[in-house]
Structure formats: structure tokens, C-alpha cells
């Protein structure tokens, strides 16, 4: 593989300064061709995945499909189809190139796609309708799905707009999305807008007009340092009195807003169409954005069957969702069968310490550094638990408990999309945005997403196709039974 070439340096500059995904992709493909990465892609062998298993599975799928053996295809897929079969989702499988991965891996995904299509279209004299329905239900459940989690980050949260914009434009936006703090605003936008509406809502001008004065100093001696009126008005303008259930019926996206309790002995809550269908999105987002001291905690609201607005979880107030559930992966897994995560991470407490790719430690130094980090985290939690136990003041105990929650969280996913590490980013955390700063953050989010688009497409294609065919079969069943509207 070529290690130095002026043409490669030029292409690397083109990749870094690309102004569109098309330009980024073209330069990346040319770089792989010139650098010799295409030879790496074409070579099946690698110590980083089980190429023999994948090669054999491809051959078996091709043979079964060639024989028009739908039951054989179903049997092969039932044997062990999952998102990381043979370690094909290993981040190391794209370190040898700028874009793409091993041809064998892409061939396997294509063969699975063709097999699913074949089963769906199979002659129902041989594979009856309910056998198909059962296969797609079971396989979709077993295979799982991906989620997009948008972290907290205050003023840096507009970075999420660029991430969502890029995923939306390339039809790669997962249907399970969570948001905490600033991320809750963008998650709510996704959950309440159709594809076309979202294109308009994510324009820099639209975001700027809604949030240009979200930070208004209120002064010391108040419930909070900043007046939340402008923020509340912006959220009402965006989401009105829509509930989580109403949002799901409109977009069929499963959005979750995380909130943290403003008192002790309570766990963070995930608000969505499953757990709190009648809760009002505006108040949920307002609560999730209530950074302690910066904004006052919030009483949640719900909509009754007759349209009346009522308190939700009376006598409780909620605050910043990122304090206790920045990335609520485990609970999303239980609710929606999620087993793969895409994270847009702007939390200033986390970004400096994480990498975009979760590649396993391979040398002694990396293993030692990871172990030391885990020990430091465990010891910090132990020390905080002792301090909390010895503290009698309720407010102090609450503050200590929140610090523990921040340290104890996981801030990374399978795929991590991060802003550039720049000191100027810190200045934007609690400042009112300008049109220029929002435009820059959105463009930064788009550019940070481009290198991950092909990875996301590979990792989500099978699950999305499984659920598409399942939805089509269920729609057909509903029509035949006379249940379709």
C-alpha cells in the first residue's frame, strides 16, 4: 500500500474540506483506489473478522436462492443472523480504507437482502402468508434495530441538527431516537415533523429564529440564573400541545425525551409514546433542558381525553435529562429491541475523552490505559457514595447524587459522531447563538456524519428491510381482515 504520494495528500485535503457528501465520497473513493485500499477491500482474509464463516454463509445463501429454496433461505437466516455475525461490524474493518469495507462483507449484506426479498415474494402455495409473517416477526425481533441518541450540550446541541439533516437526506434516520437536554429539542423536531417538514425545520435560519435569545440573564437570588420565558415560548411555537402518542401517529418515529428528578429517591424517566403517551412534548423538552441553576425545574403536563391540560406526575418537578440519562441505551433496548446505537455526542463533559471509533485495545499501553480509566471511575463512584452517606443536608446530598450520576454514565455508542475539539466550542455552551454560529455547527454536524454514512447504511440495512417487509405483511393482513382504515 502506498504510504506517501502528493496525489494522496491532495485527496486528503479534498476530503477534509469537502462541501458536500458527493464531493467527500468521490475524493474518498479516489483515495482508496490510489492508496491500494481497494486491494485490501478485495482480499477476504483478515484477523479482525471470521471471513471463513461469512464466505460460507454467502455461498449457502446463493445456492439456496439459485434453487428457489425459500425454506432453505429461512433456515439459513434463522441459524444465526445478527448485526455482528462473524464480527463484521468490528470498527477495525474500515481502518484500511477511507470509505467502504471488505467486499465480502458487503456481498454478505447484499445476499441477506436478496434472501429477504425472495422470501417475501415467495409463491404462497409453497410458503403461506402466515409462515412469512411469522418468519419476519421472529427474525426482526431477534435481529434488533438501531437507535439514534442525541446527547446534552446546551448551545452545542445545534450540532445535532447537522447530524439529523445528513441522516434524513440519505434516508438513514433510525425510527428510534432519544434526546437529552439540548438533544431533546432536536429529537422532538424529528418526532413531530415529516421528512419534508424536517428539511425546513433544520435550516439554520429556522433554528436561529427560534432560539436566538434563549439565554436571558435573570440575576442572582432567583430560582435560576436565566429566565426561561423565551425558551418556553420557542418550544410552544415548535410543538404546541402535541403529545407523544399524537407525534407517533403522525411520523411513526419512536422519540424518547429523558428527564431527571429534582429530588432524591427518584430515578430518571424516559418519556415516550409507550411510557407516557399523553404527556405533552413541550413540557418534557423544557424539563430536559432545565440545567440545574441555569433554568428552574419543571412540572410536566399531560392532555386528558377531553383535551384538558392536567399535571403529569403531580408534586414532582424534573430537570436536565443528561444528568442521569444522557444516553439511555439499556432502557431503549428493553422498550424497542434496540441492540445498536448511533450517538451524536456534544456533552462538553464527555467529548474531550472519547473517540469516534470504538476499536478494541490491541496493545499493552491501550489495555493499561483502559484499565486505569475504569479503576478511576470505580474509585470515584466509591468515594462519592461515602461522601453522600456522610452528608445530612438534603440539597448537598442531591447535588452529590447528581455528580455521581454524571460520572457513572456511559457516553459512547457503537458509532459516535463528535464535533471537533475546539476551545471556542466552550464559549457557545451558554451563549446566545448567532446565525453564523448555528450555520457553522450544523455544517460541522453534517461533515462529522459523512464518514459514518456508509457504516450506518451497512449496519442498519438488514434491520430496516426486515421491518419494512414485516410492516407490508401486517398491512396486508389488516386489509384482508377488514381492519385497515
Amino acid at each position: 500500500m502506498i504510504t506517501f504520494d502528493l496525489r494522496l495528500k491532495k485527496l486528503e485535503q479534498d476530503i477534509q474540506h469537502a462541501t458536500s457528501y458527493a464531493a467527500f465520497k468521490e475524493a474518498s473513493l479516489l483515495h482508496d483506489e490510489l492508496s491500494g485500499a481497494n486491494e485490501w477491500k478485495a482480499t477476504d482474509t483478515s484477523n479482525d473478522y471470521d471471513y471463513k464463516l461469512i464466505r460460507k454463509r454467502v455461498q449457502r445463501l446463493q445456492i439456496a436462492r439459485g434453487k428457489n429454496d425459500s425454506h432453505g433461505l429461512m433456515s439459513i437466516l434463522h441459524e444465526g443472523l445478527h448485526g455482528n455475525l462473524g464480527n463484521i461490524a468490528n470498527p477495525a474493518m474500515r481502518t484500511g480504507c477511507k470509505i467502504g469495507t471488505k467486499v465480502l462483507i458487503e456481498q454478505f449484506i447484499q445476499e441477506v437482502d436478496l434472501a429477504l426479498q425472495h422470501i417475501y415474494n415467495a409463491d404462497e402455495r409453497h410458503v403461506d402468508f402466515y409462515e412469512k409473517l411469522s418468519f419476519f416477526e421472529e427474525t426482526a425481533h431477534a435481529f434488533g434495530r438501531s437507535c439514534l441518541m442525541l446527547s446534552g450540550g446546551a448551545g452545542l446541541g445545534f450540532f445535532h441538527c447537522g447530524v439529523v439533516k445528513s441522516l434524513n437526506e440519505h434516508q438513514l434516520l433510525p425510527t428510534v431516537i432519544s434526546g437529552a437536554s439540548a438533544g431533546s429539542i432536536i429529537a422532538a423536531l424529528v418526532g413531530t415533523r415529516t421528512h419534508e417538514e424536517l428539511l425546513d425545520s433544520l435550516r439554520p435560519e429556522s433554528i436561529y429564529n427560534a432560539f436566538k435569545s434563549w439565554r436571558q440573564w435573570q440575576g442572582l437570588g432567583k430560582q435560576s440564573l436565566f429566565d426561561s420565558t423565551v425558551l418556553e415560548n420557542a418550544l410552544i411555537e415548535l410543538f404546541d400541545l402535541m403529545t407523544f402518542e399524537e407525534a407517533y401517529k403522525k411520523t411513526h418515529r419512536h422519540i424518547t425525551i429523558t428527564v431527571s428528578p429534582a429530588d432524591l429517591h427518584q430515578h430518571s424517566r424516559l418519556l415516550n409514546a409507550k411510557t407516557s403517551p399523553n404527556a405533552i412534548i413541550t413540557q418534557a423538552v423544557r424539563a430536559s433542558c432545565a440545567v440545574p441553576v441555569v433554568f428552574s425545574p419543571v412540572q410536566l403536563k399531560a392532555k386528558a381525553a377531553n383535551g384538558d391540560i392536567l399535571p403529569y406526575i403531580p408534586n414532582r418537578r424534573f430537570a436536565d435529562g443528561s444528568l442521569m440519562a444522557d444516553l439511555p441505551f439499556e432502557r431503549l433496548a428493553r422498550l424497542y429491541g434496540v441492540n445498536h446505537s448511533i450517538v451524536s455526542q456534544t456533552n462538553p463533559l464527555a467529548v474531550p475523552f472519547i473517540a469516534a471509533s470504538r476499536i478494541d485495545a490491541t496493545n499493552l499501553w491501550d489495555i493499561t490505559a483502559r484499565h486505569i480509566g475504569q479503576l478511576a471511575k470505580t474509585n470515584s463512584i466509591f468515594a462519592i457514595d461515602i461522601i453522600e452517606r456522610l452528608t445530612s443536608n438534603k440539597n448537598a446530598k442531591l447535588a452529590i447524587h447528581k455528580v455521581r450520576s454524571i460520572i457513572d454514565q456511559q457516553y459512547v455508542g457503537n458509532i459516535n459522531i463528535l464535533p471537533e475539539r475546539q476551545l471556542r466550542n466552550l464559549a457557545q455552551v451558554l451563549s446566545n447563538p448567532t446565525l453564523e454560529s448555528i450555520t457553522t455547527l450544523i455544517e460541522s454536524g453534517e461533515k462529522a456524519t459523512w464518514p459514518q454514512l456508509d457504516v450506518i447504511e451497512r449496519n442498519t440495512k438488514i434491520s430496516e428491510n426486515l421491518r419494512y417487509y414485516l410492516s407490508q405483511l401486517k398491512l396486508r393482513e389488516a386489509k384482508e381482515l377488514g381492519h385497515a382504515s
Side-chain angles (χ1 to χ4, degrees):
M1 186 177 290
I2 298 172
T3 57
F4 180 79
D5 189 308
L6 290 177
R7 292 171 295 173
L8 286 178
K9 288 293 182 182
K10 172 64 166 59
L11 286 170
E12 287 167 6
Q13 290 293 317
D14 291 343
I15 292 170
Q16 183 179 355
H17 300 294
T19 56
S20 69
Y21 180 66
F24 169 87
K25 184 176 181 180
E26 181 182 7
S28 297
L29 290 171
L30 287 172
H31 191 284
D32 285 350
E33 181 180 350
L34 185 61
S35 69
N38 284 351
E39 284 75 16
W40 176 86
K41 293 178 187 178
T43 303
D44 294 349
T45 57
S46 171
N47 293 326
D48 294 315
Y49 79 117
D50 191 341
Y51 65 91
K52 293 181 181 178
L53 170 67
I54 301 303
R55 185 191 288 161
K56 185 66 176 177
R57 196 61 60 92
V58 167
Q59 292 169 350
R60 291 179 63 195
L61 287 169
Q62 288 174 335
I63 292 170
R65 191 161 52 83
K67 292 180 177 179
N68 198 28
D69 184 2
S70 299
H71 286 101
L73 290 171
M74 292 165 71
S75 177
I76 294 168
L77 295 179
H78 268 313
E79 280 180 13
L81 179 64
H82 58 83
N84 197 22
L85 181 68
N87 209 24
I88 61 174
N90 183 352
M93 296 314 303
R94 61 166 314 194
T95 56
C97 56
K98 290 292 184 182
I99 195 168
T101 187
K102 294 284 188 181
V103 172
L104 178 62
I105 293 175
E106 294 180 341
Q107 187 180 13
F108 169 71
I109 294 170
Q110 181 183 23
E111 283 299 326
V112 171
D113 184 29
L114 290 171
L116 294 175
Q117 184 179 337
H118 186 100
I119 294 166
Y120 176 77
N121 292 318
D123 189 328
E124 292 187 0
R125 291 173 297 180
H126 302 122
V127 183
D128 70 44
F129 172 82
Y130 283 101
E131 191 175 3
K132 290 181 183 180
L133 182 61
S134 176
F135 167 79
F136 280 103
E137 281 184 329
E138 293 170 1
T139 310
H141 177 75
F143 190 86
R145 67 205 301 187
S146 296
C147 68
L148 172 65
M149 296 187 287
L150 310 176
S151 76
L156 293 178
F158 299 121
F159 172 89
H160 300 316
C161 294
V163 175
V164 169
K165 181 173 181 286
S166 187
L167 293 174
N168 187 48
E169 289 174 349
H170 291 88
Q171 306 293 329
L172 292 174
L173 196 58
T175 53
V176 177
I177 301 137
S178 75
S181 196
S184 70
I185 298 174
I186 314 307
L189 278 174
V190 174
T192 57
R193 266 72 176 165
T194 63
H195 173 80
E196 294 300 326
E197 290 172 341
L198 197 55
L199 293 176
D200 179 67
S201 295
L202 294 176
R203 291 187 306 109
E205 294 79 9
S206 299
I207 298 295
Y208 173 69
N209 288 333
F211 297 103
K212 58 187 175 184
S213 301
W214 70 272
R215 172 185 176 274
Q216 287 195 351
W217 177 256
Q218 186 169 247
L220 300 174
K222 307 285 186 179
Q223 274 193 316
S224 59
L225 294 177
F226 299 125
D227 183 0
S228 63
T229 304
V230 174
L231 176 61
E232 288 179 357
N233 288 340
L235 297 177
I236 292 170
E237 184 71 23
L238 288 172
F239 311 120
D240 197 24
L241 297 176
M242 186 177 288
T243 66
F244 285 94
E245 184 176 51
E246 291 167 346
Y248 175 73
K249 287 179 178 178
K250 177 180 178 180
T251 67
H252 295 287
R253 295 192 182 107
H254 302 280
I255 61 162
T256 290
I257 305 300
T258 65
V259 295
S260 300
D263 51 13
L264 284 168
H265 313 302
Q266 294 288 319
H267 296 287
S268 61
R269 289 182 178 266
L270 269 59
L271 305 173
N272 53 51
K274 283 181 178 284
T275 64
S276 46
N278 299 321
I280 292 173
I281 291 174
T282 293
Q283 292 303 109
V285 174
R286 167 66 181 86
S288 193
C289 291
V291 180
V293 182
V294 178
F295 289 123
S296 58
V298 176
Q299 163 72 66
L300 300 175
K301 299 290 178 65
K303 187 187 292 186
N306 63 2
D308 289 345
I309 306 304
L310 306 171
Y312 185 74
I313 315 178
N315 305 319
R316 296 289 181 191
R317 291 185 176 273
F318 293 87
D320 190 349
S322 66
L323 289 177
M324 300 181 73
D326 199 42
L327 307 177
F329 179 76
E330 291 183 2
R331 283 187 282 177
L332 290 178
R334 291 197 295 270
L335 284 167
Y336 299 111
V338 164
N339 59 5
H340 177 266
S341 60
I342 304 161
V343 171
S344 178
Q345 180 57 267
T346 60
N347 194 317
L349 298 175
V351 169
F353 306 103
I354 59 180
S357 297
R358 293 177 66 179
I359 299 176
D360 293 335
T362 55
N363 58 58
L364 186 61
W365 169 250
D366 288 342
I367 294 172
T368 303
R370 182 180 63 184
H371 182 63
I372 291 172
Q374 290 173 341
L375 282 177
K377 180 176 180 177
T378 302
N379 290 336
S380 297
I381 292 170
F382 172 74
I384 290 171
D385 284 343
I386 297 296
I387 294 170
E388 183 180 345
R389 182 63 62 89
L390 296 174
T391 302
S392 57
N393 182 274
K394 182 179 178 181
N395 290 333
K397 188 181 285 286
L398 178 61
I400 293 168
H401 188 71
K402 299 298 185 189
V403 171
R404 185 195 192 281
S405 297
I406 291 171
I407 295 174
D408 196 28
Q409 289 189 60
Q410 179 79 4
Y411 289 99
V412 296
N414 298 104
I415 296 173
N416 302 294
I417 304 173
L418 312 172
E420 293 182 6
R421 296 183 178 98
Q422 296 178 341
L423 288 176
R424 68 179 182 182
N425 286 346
L426 296 177
Q428 299 180 52
V429 172
L430 290 177
S431 63
N432 282 324
T434 63
L435 181 57
E436 180 183 6
S437 69
I438 287 179
T439 301
T440 299
L441 280 171
I442 292 176
E443 290 177 352
S444 174
E446 289 184 88
K447 287 188 175 185
T449 307
W450 293 342
Q452 307 289 356
L453 286 177
D454 69 302
V455 187
I456 293 169
E457 183 176 14
R458 284 197 302 276
N459 290 352
T460 60
K461 186 173 184 178
I462 294 173
S463 65
E464 290 302 314
N465 285 340
L466 279 167
R467 292 180 185 279
Y468 170 75
Y469 291 130
L470 177 59
S471 68
Q472 293 302 301
L473 290 170
K474 286 188 171 181
L475 182 62
R476 178 180 155 195
E477 179 187 39
K479 286 181 179 179
E480 292 179 357
L481 294 175
H483 297 161
S485 56

